[in-house]
Amino acid sequence: MSDIDLRACSLHELRESLENKQISSVELTQFFVDRIKLLDPQLNSVITPTMDLALKQAKQADQRIAHGDDSALLGIPILHKDIFCTEGVKTTCASKMLADFVSPYDATVVSALAKSGAITLGKTNMDEFAMGSSNETSHFGAVKNPWDLSRVPGGSSGGSASAVAAGLAPCATGTDTGGSIRQPAALCGITGLKPSYGRVSRYGMIAFASSMDQAGPMAKSAADCAQLLSAMAGHDPLDSTSAKLAVPDYATEIERPVAGLRIGVPQEFFDKQLSPAVADAIHTALRQLEAMGATLVDVKLPSTPLGVSTYYVIAPAEASANLARYDGVRFGYRCEAPQNLEDLYVRSRTEGFGEEVKRRILVGTFTLSAASYDQYFMKAQQVRRMIANEYDEVLANVDVIAGPSAPNTAFPLNDASKSITDMYMEDVFTVGCNLAGLPAMSIPAGIVEGLPVGMQLIGRSFDEATVLRVGHQFQLQTDWHRQVSRIAEFAS
Ligand code: GLN
């Protein structure tokens, strides 16, 4: 086992090593358990490690391997974002409101991955209720970026991104309502896919904005994400918004070359919001795709600048409805000694929610109120349709759209110069896909001043296969995605 670099291995390589008995799942799991113990005190990327459970599952996986079981992820450890319900293990959503909540059932994503043989290493830190772009809104403290511990990992799936980047796990789950898989993947130099709305079940995934929330894989490469998506995707009778569509064989699809594909490059993704250094890196990556035989096509998505304001009306409106259930009565945090019912509601919610969550509930309640519904909520829904139509029109002529995932590389923690709206602008290139329900992935595509840059690939509805294929083919020709396994160890 000593000659395998377990931190750098792909999921496929790990499966082969398990299959060939070069390593056992218990040894593999112990390797990552040890790394969590050693490195996570500085990263803070894991809220609840489940080491005993993991080692127990690994032992069972070894028995299954010995009996010839070759399930796709058998024996491979994974971390779950703490937004997915896990039976018998705390699910906090990084909120004081759910700090002691233990779900009586598993989310479908969790049970599907377990069914494929994955081992649960623990639950990752995140922005509270998935609201944020820096992972600084967690009740359990900020997560740090392993590339530079003074910087943010992005959010809201920042714990998953930071953990995969630091090699605390070979892969993780995330969720993306407005960019929360892609932006942290970009800032941490890993690959993360937001599937089409409806591709992956939302059952047991704590709701933020139900018309946009999607679960997806985060790993070191597109090939790894393809393997994970195969296990996660598919219709679920427990989620009425999950699509009744066959799941393609992603492992085969990604092997097809990109020659002949048309890649749309929207000029609106390269405007003044984008840091010039990130723009240069993306242009270089696009030229690489061109050299591989793809055709770059200039396209227009003129409503791009409206995306953030549209999203920040719709997402808080849905959040205000979804979070109404945390009332101190049924489950979650309850204030001490309530005087009456009103006091119970008010103090439980005042004490249980953090500042950003309260801001969103207030904004959402306001935009849904009778006096402002037409002016804000209806208007936002109309603009949402306009944005979705623009993407559909462009994607009728190109196979994928490519551009940056985020306007900048990882920014400093506690950056006082960054206002709330500056933070919201982190989502400028990502929210369009959530509003339109499209699949999109961030892949590492360069390094600027020692920090990774992410390129975003956006596909047609339910065409994750082409998105993964372009990402995988790019990764066969470049090694930006491998840099993450080379970042310096920082344990003291
Ligand atoms: N950064 C966005 C927000 O704060 C996106 C969050 C997400 O995708 N969960 O709402």
Side-chain angles (χ1 to χ4, degrees), residues 81 130-133 155-156 175-181 208 311-312 360 424 427:
K81 183 175 181 178
M131 299 174 189
S133 301
S156 67
T175 62
D176 190 312
T177 304
S180 280
I181 287 178
F208 161 15
Y311 171 85
Y312 279 96
R360 306 261 181 132
Y424 292 177
D427 306 323

Side-chain angles (χ1 to χ4, degrees), residues 328-372:
V329 177
R330 287 162 291 183
F331 55 90
Y333 178 81
R334 177 178 296 176
C335 68
E336 293 286 332
Q339 303 299 302
N340 51 44
L341 188 61
E342 173 85 7
D343 185 45
L344 168 74
Y345 289 156
V346 172
R347 278 203 294 123
S348 297
R349 289 168 69 80
T350 306
E351 293 165 19
F353 288 134
E355 191 185 327
E356 183 61 25
V357 173
K358 280 186 243 187
R359 178 178 299 118
R360 306 261 181 132
I361 292 173
L362 288 174
V363 169
T365 308
F366 171 76
T367 58
L368 289 177
S369 64
S372 46

Side-chain angles (χ1 to χ4, degrees), residues 449-472:
E449 291 171 12
L451 295 168
V453 171
M455 172 161 71
Q456 187 178 199
L457 300 166
I458 302 166
R460 295 179 184 138
S461 194
F462 292 101
D463 191 13
E464 288 80 9
T466 305
V467 170
L468 287 162
R469 167 182 164 198
V470 175
H472 176 60

Side-chain angles (χ1 to χ4, degrees), residues 182 185-187 190 278 282 403-406 408 442-446 452-456:
R182 291 161 285 160
L187 271 45
I190 65 163
V278 172
I282 300 297
S405 301
N408 281 294
S442 180
I443 59 172
V453 171
M455 172 161 71
Q456 187 178 199

Side-chain angles (χ1 to χ4, degrees), residues 49-71:
T50 55
M51 300 179 181
D52 295 341
L53 173 71
L55 289 164
K56 200 174 114 201
Q57 290 175 344
K59 230 178 247 165
Q60 289 162 357
D62 282 331
Q63 282 162 6
R64 282 169 64 182
I65 293 168
H67 287 104
D69 187 337
D70 63 352
S71 302

Side-chain angles (χ1 to χ4, degrees), residues 121-433:
L121 272 177
K123 309 287 296 286
T124 56
N125 205 343
M126 52 183 282
D127 280 299
E128 185 180 5
F129 281 102
M131 299 174 189
S133 301
S134 67
N135 225 298
E136 294 170 296
T137 72
S138 168
H139 173 61
F140 300 97
V143 176
K144 292 176 184 139
N145 189 319
W147 290 78
D148 176 343
L149 296 177
S150 71
R151 289 174 188 271
V152 304
S156 67
S157 312
S160 292
S162 159
V164 171
L168 306 191
C171 55
T173 51
T175 62
D176 190 312
T177 304
S180 280
I181 287 178
R182 291 161 285 160
Q183 185 255 14
L187 271 45
C188 288
I190 65 163
T191 303
L193 171 73
K194 178 201 96 73
S196 312
Y197 184 77
R199 179 57 98 186
V200 175
S201 168
R202 293 185 298 113
Y203 179 74
M205 185 176 120
I206 293 174
F208 161 15
S210 309
S211 74
M212 294 182 279
D213 296 341
Q214 256 298 288
M218 303 177 80
K220 292 192 292 285
S221 68
D224 286 0
C225 285
Q227 202 168 330
L228 292 163
L229 183 65
S230 298
M232 296 165 76
H235 177 247
D236 177 7
L238 297 172
D239 172 7
S240 59
T241 64
S242 80
K244 277 193 186 132
L245 286 176
V247 178
D249 178 0
Y250 297 119
T252 309
E253 292 285 330
I254 63 172
E255 295 307 332
R256 295 165 58 203
V258 298
L261 287 187
R262 289 165 62 81
I263 299 182
V265 182
Q267 61 186 56
E268 295 81 2
F269 279 33
F270 292 86
D271 73 353
K272 56 183 188 315
Q273 324 260 20
L274 184 64
S275 109
V278 172
D280 285 348
I282 300 297
H283 282 304
T284 307
L286 290 171
R287 280 197 296 275
Q288 170 71 38
L289 287 168
E290 199 173 30
M292 290 159 59
T295 307
L296 302 183
V297 185
D298 284 329
V299 299
K300 286 196 174 61
L301 290 169
S303 299
T304 299
L306 304 177
V308 168
S309 26
T310 307
Y311 171 85
Y312 279 96
V313 171
I314 294 172
E318 295 186 16
S320 74
N322 276 324
L323 273 61
R325 74 191 70 181
Y326 306 107
D327 55 6
V329 177
R330 287 162 291 183
F331 55 90
Y333 178 81
R334 177 178 296 176
C335 68
E336 293 286 332
Q339 303 299 302
N340 51 44
L341 188 61
E342 173 85 7
D343 185 45
L344 168 74
Y345 289 156
V346 172
R347 278 203 294 123
S348 297
R349 289 168 69 80
T350 306
E351 293 165 19
F353 288 134
E355 191 185 327
E356 183 61 25
V357 173
K358 280 186 243 187
R359 178 178 299 118
R360 306 261 181 132
I361 292 173
L362 288 174
V363 169
T365 308
F366 171 76
T367 58
L368 289 177
S369 64
S372 46
Y373 187 86
D374 286 344
Q375 200 184 350
Y376 292 99
F377 190 71
M378 281 302 286
K379 202 31 112 210
Q381 295 289 28
Q382 287 162 349
V383 180
R384 177 181 193 169
R385 170 50 55 203
M386 206 166 86
I387 291 173
N389 288 349
E390 276 177 19
Y391 273 92
D392 285 348
E393 276 162 34
V394 167
L395 285 162
N397 291 311
V398 298
D399 298 283
V400 293
I401 295 168
S405 301
N408 281 294
T409 53
F411 48 91
L413 284 154
N414 309 314
D415 186 351
S417 71
K418 221 171 162 77
S419 68
I420 291 158
T421 42
D422 289 343
M423 194 68 93
Y424 292 177
M425 287 313 287
E426 275 294 300
D427 306 323
V428 61
F429 305 128
T430 48
V431 288
C433 300

